Amino acid sequence: MSDESVIAETTRTGSELRLDLPPALATPPGAGAVCDEAGARKIGRGAAEGFFTTGPVLVAHASLTARRLGLTPPPRSSDLMDVLELYAFVRPARFCAPSPTGLALALGRAEPKSPEEQATALRDAAAALLGELAAPAYPEREAAYVLALTMQRAGWAWGERVVQALEAGGVRARQHRGSGLDVWTRLTEWEDEAPRGEAGSAPVDSESARIRLEKLLQASGLDETRPTQSDYAAEAAFAFSPRNEEGRPRVLLAEAGTGTGKTLGYLAPASLWAERNQGAAWISTYTRALQRQIDRESHSLWPDPAERRKKAVIRKGRENYLCVLNLQDMVQAAQLGNGDLIGLALAGRWAVHTRDGDMTGGDFPGWLPGLFALPAAHAAGAANLVDRRGECVHAACPHYRTCFVEKTIRASRKADIVVANHALVLTQAAFDGARSARGQKQDGETAALKRIVFDEGHHLFDAADSAFSACLSGQEAAELRRWIRGPEGKGRRGRGLEQRLGDMVNDNETALKSLQDAVRAAAGLPGEGVSGRVAPASGEVNPIGPIEAFLAAALNQLRARTAETNSYGGAEFGMECALKPVTEPVAEAARAAAQALAAIEAPLLALSRHLEDILDDEAAELDGSQRSRIEGALRGLDRRARMTLPGWRSMLAALEDGGDQPDPDFVDWLSAETAFGRIHDVALRRHWIDPTVPLETAVIVPSHGVLVTSATLSDPLQDDPFDLARMRTGSARLIDPPRTLKVESPFDYAANSRVIVVNDLVKDDPRQTAAAMRELFLAAGGGGLGLFTAIRRLKAVYERLGPDLAKSGLPLYAQHVDPLEVGALVDMFRVEENSCLLGTDAVRDGVDVPGRSLRVLAFDRVPWPRPDLLHKARRERLGGKGYDDAIARARIAQAFGRLIRRGDDKGVFLMLDAATPTRLFASLPPGTEVQRMGLADAVELTKTFLNPETT
């Protein structure tokens, strides 16, 4: 296709509203598209750039449009009208992929294929959305009108047209109106209820599980139960049978091939158990995509949306949810000219309509903050609006009764099914276990973790590794300082300990002194800009305080013992070296750093004990709000004074034992993270060699029943296919060994898939990799997913591949390149049937794309585990070379499982690495045959297999 663009326009007239819309510019690869009175016509790239830079013009995702035109992301302007912003206003909290195609599909239109169709679709979308506002039945018109007036005054490009559309539908005449920005006054409040009590022990038998599954399938519109799915549900009931002795849970490891229907398979016994025992069954996943899928599947259990909201609750860590106080702070700053008032108004409008306030993977449009170039501190997205800083004041917050986190916690206590994620379950279980060991009651969020389903169970080992590790870094230490002392820079939001707890301890001299001592001692922690002092570009190191001095010494040891590039990935992975033998400067600095941390830990513990005394001594006088506030403060103090600080001191103490031998249970090492060629953090890290040890203790053994399930749990080359799964799930050491189950996929892989190793490429040459992916993706007509084991290679291939695909009109998106988060990239890949996508592990794990949108999947090379210090220690302990093979085999099987999602899917799986051993394909489903051939033959086979009608 030539380097041209397309213009088209229609002008629509309603009974009371004339939509005088400007041209609508769309920029599919190698072209563009616009809507004006002259109709559809092609223009060159220069003309398309002119439309974009001079305006007024309609676009879909201004920053992405700019990147396609070779321009820098634009600031917000009255001449640049992003239709996605209009969609976010008109249909808050409703899904839309961020492209002209996504807009068309969200509005119920056909997928626009050509540039001309995309241009027309974009303008039609704008007209349709304004038409919705003009309709007399548009809901909550008055609130929308008040906010639109405010946004119009702030210079919103859509302001005038949105106001006119709302007025056309009829608004009441009022002399005075507010700004509409105070959305927190319109949020519903949660209501507390009596505790539910301990769940019962009524069993779920296999036959009941089969019957429940049959009813769920009928409710989903399916007439018959697949035998394998029914067997899976019946076996899964074992995890919901009562245990007979403490510390001896019922554990089932169940591998269910793609297409088995395992979600409904385990929801059947889980929902039965919840009903019979008045308790919550927890479903834990690794990816957000699966959380959403499970939520959709729960529709068959509770078709009524109101009932489903009570029965099925999605639960994440508080860092995923909108903090209403943060929103209010940012809105007030923006009203004074310090912020993006328009973006915040749109975020506030979403807050009123959201299901649960989830900003990361929920119904918040993640693409919204990135549409225009804004200072990072002003972006109205998750980075600034969620509670990432641990500053929650709980009951002292003016929005406590409308807090989304509190609503979700309370809802989960009454729910039948709680859909959580591995990170939340494991970190909260570790925290609750530590509190229980001290005789304190568990936190209400996961105290009911008696029945757990770990879906995507192949990730449980990695999730445990993250949850039970420790890291003393410049950024982590600076975060602790900010939590204690509050924000110390200009324009920073937040509250220190004195602001959060001062009024609780003012009447106790000892407690007040502890608070003041902690604040004073925290001055020894790194402050803002720590990386610029520890690892400055100029080389003039200037550490402030004992922690920064330790990190500077650690960086010197790193540089002495390793290079800033390495043989297995380059500078993108930074540097790392074994901690021991430690240099004398590091050992000396560690002693001073440990003393500084102890000086913070002691007063925090004293403060914690004082708050515990208040709960005991004044129990009769405390109201619910005061008790909640104290309990919330204690949770924060416990995490830091009883977990984080002792963990850091323990790592530093290991440097003073005088020996050079590593701890047999842990791996301690030094690392430096890099970005854009600069070191941005230095860290001392500690991980369990086998993280299933704490996983077993904190999660598996205390539970009553656990189901670990995945499409890739077993390894056929092991003597016992489930040996590795037992080891990597914490069930190998249980008194009662876990049951195992393997259910094959019902799909005909021999007929519907091809597996090819391309054997005539040089895998280290990005030009050859790009050429191979180009020919394969073109042969398939798009629908290609390229997976990479290194970001550097992904970017190199993208630069060569993008222009070539653009000439054929195939959109190419890429993680780490396009200004969109992974979820939005996958959404666009899913809705645009002929688009292509490049990504790394996060894309492989998060892709759920049934149908033709994914029909070719190509690995750039074997996904071996990266041989860093931690992996090498585990390989030595857990299986040697066979451990590497098992991990690579599982990753290949997981990626292959992304390709065939339905019975009528067809797909080609390729490995562009001639050295790929055949043994790594042993975990693929029965019926798959691995073929080795040159690129030309692979391209021809791909073309004839996926498009037989064209041959």
Side-chain angles (χ1 to χ4, degrees), residues 461-498:
F461 185 91
D462 293 330
D465 180 43
S466 178
F468 299 108
S469 62
C471 172
L472 170 56
S473 71
Q475 297 301 326
E476 291 288 331
E479 180 74 6
L480 177 60
R481 173 182 175 133
R482 187 212 47 73
W483 182 80
I484 296 173
R485 294 177 62 88
E488 298 172 287
K490 292 183 178 180
R492 299 295 300 274
R493 301 186 314 283
R495 296 153 198 85
L497 273 182
E498 287 183 309

Coordinates of all heavy atoms in Angstrom, one line a residue, residues 461-498:
F461 N 4.9 -21.0 42.2 CA 6.3 -20.9 42.7 C 6.8 -19.5 42.6 O 7.4 -18.9 43.5 CB 7.1 -21.9 41.9 CG 8.6 -22.0 42.3 CD1 8.9 -23.0 43.3 CD2 9.6 -21.2 41.8 CE1 10.2 -23.1 43.7 CE2 10.9 -21.3 42.3 CZ 11.2 -22.3 43.2
D462 N 6.6 -18.9 41.4 CA 7.2 -17.5 41.2 C 6.4 -16.5 42.1 O 7.1 -15.5 42.6 CB 7.0 -17.1 39.7 CG 7.9 -17.9 38.8 OD1 9.0 -18.4 39.3 OD2 7.5 -18.2 37.7
A463 N 5.1 -16.7 42.3 CA 4.4 -15.8 43.2 C 4.9 -15.9 44.6 O 5.1 -14.9 45.3 CB 2.9 -16.1 43.1
A464 N 5.2 -17.1 45.0 CA 5.7 -17.3 46.4 C 7.1 -16.7 46.5 O 7.5 -16.1 47.5 CB 5.8 -18.8 46.7
D465 N 7.9 -16.8 45.4 CA 9.3 -16.2 45.4 C 9.2 -14.7 45.7 O 10.0 -14.2 46.4 CB 9.9 -16.5 44.1 CG 11.3 -16.0 44.0 OD1 12.1 -16.1 45.0 OD2 11.7 -15.4 42.9
S466 N 8.2 -14.1 45.0 CA 8.1 -12.6 45.2 C 7.5 -12.3 46.6 O 8.0 -11.3 47.2 CB 7.2 -12.1 44.1 OG 6.9 -10.7 44.2
A467 N 6.6 -13.0 47.0 CA 5.9 -12.7 48.3 C 6.8 -12.9 49.5 O 6.7 -12.1 50.5 CB 4.6 -13.6 48.4
F468 N 7.7 -13.8 49.5 CA 8.5 -14.2 50.7 C 9.9 -13.7 50.5 O 10.8 -14.3 51.1 CB 8.4 -15.7 50.9 CG 7.0 -16.1 51.2 CD1 6.3 -16.9 50.3 CD2 6.3 -15.8 52.4 CE1 5.0 -17.3 50.5 CE2 5.0 -16.2 52.6 CZ 4.3 -17.0 51.7
S469 N 10.2 -12.7 49.7 CA 11.5 -12.2 49.5 C 11.7 -10.9 50.3 O 10.7 -10.3 50.7 CB 11.8 -12.1 48.0 OG 11.0 -11.1 47.5
A470 N 12.9 -10.4 50.3 CA 13.2 -9.1 50.9 C 14.2 -8.4 50.0 O 15.1 -8.9 49.4 CB 13.9 -9.3 52.3
C471 N 14.1 -7.0 50.1 CA 14.9 -6.2 49.2 C 15.2 -4.9 50.0 O 14.2 -4.1 50.2 CB 14.2 -5.9 47.9 SG 15.0 -4.7 46.9
L472 N 16.4 -4.6 50.3 CA 16.8 -3.3 50.8 C 17.5 -2.5 49.7 O 18.6 -2.8 49.3 CB 17.8 -3.5 52.0 CG 18.5 -2.2 52.5 CD1 17.5 -1.2 52.9 CD2 19.5 -2.6 53.6
S473 N 16.7 -1.6 49.1 CA 17.2 -0.8 48.0 C 17.0 0.7 48.3 O 16.3 1.1 49.3 CB 16.4 -1.1 46.7 OG 15.1 -0.6 46.8
G474 N 17.6 1.5 47.5 CA 17.4 3.0 47.7 C 16.0 3.4 47.6 O 15.5 4.2 48.4
Q475 N 15.3 2.8 46.6 CA 13.9 3.2 46.4 C 13.0 2.7 47.5 O 12.1 3.4 48.0 CB 13.4 2.7 45.1 CG 14.1 3.3 43.8 CD 14.0 4.8 43.7 OE1 13.0 5.3 44.1 NE2 15.0 5.4 43.3
E476 N 13.2 1.5 48.0 CA 12.4 0.9 49.1 C 12.7 1.7 50.4 O 11.7 2.0 51.1 CB 12.8 -0.6 49.3 CG 12.3 -1.5 48.1 CD 10.8 -1.7 48.1 OE1 10.2 -1.6 49.2 OE2 10.2 -1.9 47.1
A477 N 13.9 2.0 50.6 CA 14.3 2.8 51.8 C 13.7 4.2 51.8 O 13.2 4.7 52.8 CB 15.8 2.8 52.1
A478 N 13.7 4.8 50.6 CA 13.2 6.1 50.5 C 11.7 6.1 50.7 O 11.1 7.0 51.2 CB 13.5 6.7 49.1
E479 N 11.0 5.0 50.3 CA 9.6 4.9 50.5 C 9.3 4.8 52.0 O 8.3 5.3 52.4 CB 9.1 3.6 49.7 CG 7.6 3.3 49.9 CD 6.8 4.3 49.1 OE1 7.3 5.1 48.3 OE2 5.5 4.2 49.2
L480 N 10.1 4.0 52.7 CA 9.9 3.9 54.2 C 10.1 5.3 54.8 O 9.3 5.7 55.7 CB 10.9 2.9 54.8 CG 10.8 2.8 56.3 CD1 9.4 2.3 56.7 CD2 11.9 1.8 56.8
R481 N 11.1 6.0 54.4 CA 11.3 7.4 54.9 C 10.1 8.3 54.7 O 9.6 9.0 55.6 CB 12.5 8.0 54.3 CG 12.7 9.5 54.7 CD 13.9 10.1 54.0 NE 14.1 11.5 54.3 CZ 15.2 12.1 54.6 NH1 16.3 11.4 54.7 NH2 15.2 13.4 54.8
R482 N 9.5 8.2 53.5 CA 8.4 9.0 53.2 C 7.1 8.6 54.0 O 6.4 9.4 54.4 CB 8.1 8.9 51.7 CG 7.0 9.9 51.2 CD 6.3 9.2 50.0 NE 5.9 7.9 50.3 CZ 4.9 7.5 51.1 NH1 4.3 8.4 51.8 NH2 4.7 6.2 51.3
W483 N 7.0 7.3 54.2 CA 5.9 6.8 55.0 C 6.0 7.3 56.5 O 5.0 7.6 57.1 CB 5.9 5.2 55.0 CG 4.8 4.6 55.8 CD1 3.5 4.4 55.4 CD2 4.8 4.1 57.1 NE1 2.7 3.9 56.3 CE2 3.5 3.6 57.4 CE3 5.8 4.0 58.1 CZ2 3.2 3.1 58.7 CZ3 5.5 3.4 59.3 CH2 4.2 3.0 59.6
I484 N 7.2 7.4 57.0 CA 7.4 7.9 58.4 C 7.4 9.4 58.4 O 6.6 10.0 59.3 CB 8.7 7.3 58.9 CG1 8.7 5.8 59.0 CG2 9.0 8.0 60.3 CD1 10.0 5.2 59.4
R485 N 8.1 10.1 57.6 CA 8.3 11.5 57.7 C 7.3 12.3 56.8 O 7.2 13.6 57.0 CB 9.7 11.9 57.3 CG 10.8 11.4 58.3 CD 12.2 11.7 57.8 NE 12.4 13.1 57.8 CZ 12.8 13.9 58.8 NH1 13.1 13.3 60.0 NH2 13.1 15.1 58.7
G486 N 6.6 11.7 55.9 CA 5.8 12.4 55.0 C 6.5 13.0 53.8 O 7.8 12.9 53.8
P487 N 5.8 13.6 52.9 CA 6.5 14.1 51.7 C 7.3 15.3 52.1 O 6.9 16.2 52.8 CB 5.3 14.5 50.8 CG 4.2 14.8 51.7 CD 4.4 13.8 52.9
E488 N 8.5 15.4 51.5 CA 9.5 16.4 51.9 C 9.8 17.3 50.7 O 10.6 18.3 50.9 CB 10.8 15.8 52.5 CG 10.5 15.0 53.7 CD 11.7 14.3 54.2 OE1 12.0 13.3 53.6 OE2 12.3 14.7 55.3
G489 N 9.3 17.0 49.5 CA 9.5 17.9 48.4 C 8.3 18.8 48.1 O 7.2 18.6 48.6
K490 N 8.5 19.8 47.2 CA 7.4 20.7 46.9 C 6.4 20.0 46.0 O 6.7 19.2 45.2 CB 8.0 21.9 46.1 CG 8.8 22.8 47.0 CD 9.3 24.0 46.2 CE 10.1 25.0 47.0 NZ 10.5 26.1 46.2
G491 N 5.1 20.3 46.3 CA 4.0 19.7 45.5 C 3.8 18.3 45.7 O 3.0 17.7 45.0
R492 N 4.4 17.6 46.7 CA 4.2 16.2 47.0 C 3.0 16.0 47.9 O 2.8 16.7 48.9 CB 5.4 15.6 47.6 CG 6.6 15.6 46.7 CD 6.4 14.8 45.4 NE 6.2 13.4 45.7 CZ 7.2 12.6 45.9 NH1 8.4 12.9 45.8 NH2 6.9 11.3 46.1
R493 N 2.1 15.0 47.6 CA 1.0 14.7 48.4 C 1.4 13.6 49.4 O 2.3 12.8 49.2 CB -0.2 14.3 47.6 CG -0.7 15.3 46.6 CD -1.9 14.8 45.9 NE -1.9 13.5 45.5 CZ -1.2 13.0 44.4 NH1 -0.6 13.9 43.7 NH2 -1.2 11.7 44.1
G494 N 0.7 13.5 50.5 CA 0.9 12.4 51.4 C 0.9 12.9 52.9 O 0.8 14.2 53.1
R495 N 1.0 12.0 53.8 CA 0.9 12.3 55.2 C 1.9 11.4 55.9 O 1.9 10.2 55.7 CB -0.5 12.1 55.7 CG -1.5 13.0 55.1 CD -2.9 12.3 55.1 NE -3.7 13.0 54.1 CZ -3.8 12.7 52.8 NH1 -3.0 11.7 52.4 NH2 -4.6 13.3 52.0
G496 N 2.7 12.1 56.8 CA 3.7 11.3 57.6 C 3.0 10.8 58.9 O 1.8 10.9 59.1
L497 N 3.8 10.0 59.7 CA 3.2 9.4 60.9 C 2.6 10.4 61.8 O 1.6 10.2 62.5 CB 4.3 8.6 61.6 CG 4.5 7.2 61.1 CD1 5.6 6.5 62.0 CD2 3.3 6.4 61.2
E498 N 3.3 11.6 62.0 CA 2.8 12.6 62.9 C 1.4 13.1 62.5 O 0.5 13.3 63.4 CB 3.8 13.8 63.0 CG 5.0 13.4 63.8 CD 5.9 14.6 63.9 OE1 6.2 15.3 62.9 OE2 6.4 14.9 65.0

